[in-house]
Amino acid sequence: MEKGAITRRAVLKALDECDRLGRPVFLETYGFKGAQSYVLLHEGREYDSKAIAGVAHRYTQGRPLTADEFSGGRAHAVAWLKREGFQVRLIRNPDWSRDEVILACDLVMSNGWKGTDADDPRVQELSRLLQMLPDHQNAPRSETFRNPNGVGRKTFDIATQHPDYPGKPTNGGAMDKAVLAEFLARPQQMSAAARRIREALETGSFQEIPPSDESDLDDYSAPEGRLLLRRHVARERDKKLRQMKIDSVLGRGLALSCEVCEFDFEAVYGDRGGRLHRVSPCHPFARCRRGNYEAFGPGPHLLELPPHDPPQGTLADSTRPTSPAEESLARELI
């Protein structure tokens, strides 16, 4: 059986059958669930796109595809239906990323841990910024993607998860709870991270980050946000400029310690630690000049933070072993 070998005529027959049986009976008869991401639009009505595409195979190849034989997304059902000239609409937006929730949580904190309505200028501004984030540039998104109504709802989801909220929490997810907990534990650092994300969006510096495999940049090793860590890593991979900074520090008789928190990696980890120092420039390397560096120090914690103790969960935190992601990141710089 050839998957996707359907015609416009076959799709129209499947639509007619759905109309005759009624949607609940149609879905139950062929073992499909209701659409979760895409719907087929035809003559002013919405249909479950995956179910229609699967049943259309009955009229071209003798039997319908079962739900577990193909996907309802862009690779299968959506592509087949669009090929035959049908309109398919996305009804679900991508999940909120950590960086997006950090920005939303910062707004909630600045509002006294209360949600904000869609007509609030701060919500409208955040909506504009979120649509500039590169997180979901290649992902399908509907016309309601991060609009003021959705952003306002997210602020209430976060606010109702606060320990002091007297009522029943709304439908906040695990990411909302995790980011909220971090804002409560270290509000200044998380607010500073949100500020840097906003500044990077306004200046377009996130657009300069080259595409990369983010499998090692999990939320555990990027507490301040995935995009900030990606930018940090992308800027420091020029080994020539890294060595230039090291030579400059040693030439002045200084120790190789973090210029932000003064953490001495070699003093804690010995000779092995001395090889893991990292450089963070003020600007992308394409615009750097000799000596124009913001900080020099160890670990994947964000060296652009104000003076601070090494945050927990980073290489500078000697209370736990380094994670495989961090080890891999460190080996690239040796």
Side-chain angles (χ1 to χ4, degrees):
M1 185 175 187
E2 184 180 355
K3 295 180 183 180
I6 57 176
T7 63
R8 182 175 180 84
R9 180 185 176 90
V11 174
L12 291 173
K13 287 185 176 182
L15 291 171
D16 181 65
E17 183 178 357
C18 181
D19 290 339
R20 286 188 290 103
L21 296 178
R23 178 174 180 264
V25 175
F26 180 80
L27 294 176
E28 182 179 359
T29 299
Y30 291 103
F32 286 91
K33 296 180 180 180
Q36 296 181 345
S37 298
Y38 296 93
V39 292
L40 186 157
L41 303 179
H42 181 65
E43 294 183 348
R45 299 184 61 181
E46 295 184 351
Y47 296 83
D48 303 275
S49 56
K50 183 176 182 179
I52 294 297
V55 174
H57 285 73
R58 174 189 173 194
Y59 296 100
T60 57
Q61 303 194 52
R63 76 164 180 87
L65 286 180
T66 60
D68 59 356
E69 288 184 299
F70 69 111
S71 78
R74 292 183 296 170
H76 290 155
V78 172
W80 302 339
L81 293 170
K82 286 187 174 181
R83 183 195 65 206
E84 299 305 319
F86 291 95
Q87 182 182 359
V88 181
R89 181 170 65 87
L90 178 70
I91 58 175
R92 178 181 178 181
N93 282 313
D95 292 336
W96 282 63
S97 70
R98 181 181 181 82
D99 300 82
E100 292 175 303
V101 177
I102 287 175
L103 292 175
C105 196
D106 187 58
L107 172 56
V108 176
M109 184 176 71
S110 68
N111 196 45
W113 294 113
K114 297 178 181 178
T116 46
D117 294 322
D119 57 357
D120 189 301
R122 295 169 298 175
V123 169
Q124 296 176 8
E125 173 62 12
L126 180 55
S127 171
R128 182 186 69 84
L129 287 176
L130 292 177
Q131 294 180 36
M132 296 167 58
L133 274 171
D135 293 51
H136 310 297
Q137 282 185 346
N138 297 321
R141 53 172 80 175
S142 76
E143 64 273 10
T144 63
F145 176 77
R146 304 301 184 259
N147 67 4
N149 285 329
V151 174
R153 284 195 301 270
K154 175 58 69 174
T155 67
F156 280 97
D157 288 341
I158 295 172
T160 60
Q161 299 292 334
H162 193 280
D164 295 335
Y165 181 72
K168 183 179 179 180
T170 57
N171 298 322
M175 182 67 74
D176 299 344
K177 297 177 183 178
V179 172
L180 172 61
E182 294 182 46
F183 265 88
L184 294 175
R186 48 193 189 109
Q188 292 182 343
Q189 291 183 5
M190 295 303 292
S191 184
R195 184 179 65 254
R196 289 194 307 279
I197 294 174
R198 288 194 298 268
E199 291 172 352
L201 287 172
E202 294 288 3
T203 60
S205 68
F206 282 150
Q207 306 303 322
E208 300 169 351
I209 303 175
S212 64
D213 178 9
E214 295 189 6
S215 60
D216 62 341
L217 302 184
D218 55 24
D219 294 329
Y220 184 64
S221 61
E224 285 80 13
R226 183 182 300 262
L227 287 171
L228 288 176
L229 180 58
R230 278 183 55 198
R231 184 183 66 174
H232 182 70
V233 171
R235 289 180 176 183
E236 69 182 1
R237 285 182 172 171
D238 189 310
K239 294 184 178 181
K240 182 178 179 181
L241 288 176
R242 174 180 178 272
Q243 190 60 48
M244 183 187 302
K245 176 61 176 180
I246 292 175
D247 293 341
S248 172
V249 172
L250 294 178
R252 287 178 283 147
L254 302 176
L256 294 179
S257 60
C258 179
E259 291 179 358
V260 175
C261 65
E262 298 183 355
F263 181 83
D264 191 331
F265 207 74
E266 188 170 5
V268 174
Y269 292 102
D271 292 340
R272 175 177 175 271
R275 301 192 305 270
L276 301 182
H277 292 88
R278 305 176 74 181
V279 174
S280 176
C282 293
H283 309 286
F285 278 134
R287 299 202 299 267
C288 273
R289 297 180 180 178
R290 180 182 295 272
N292 188 14
Y293 296 90
E294 176 180 276
F296 175 81
H301 63 290
L302 298 174
L303 299 176
E304 296 157 304
L305 290 172
H308 63 287
D309 293 328
Q312 289 186 345
T314 70
L315 279 178
D317 172 22
S318 59
T319 63
R320 72 162 180 85
T322 58
S323 71
E326 293 165 344
E327 292 283 3
S328 174
L329 210 55
R331 282 195 298 272
E332 294 179 5
L333 304 175
I334 298 175

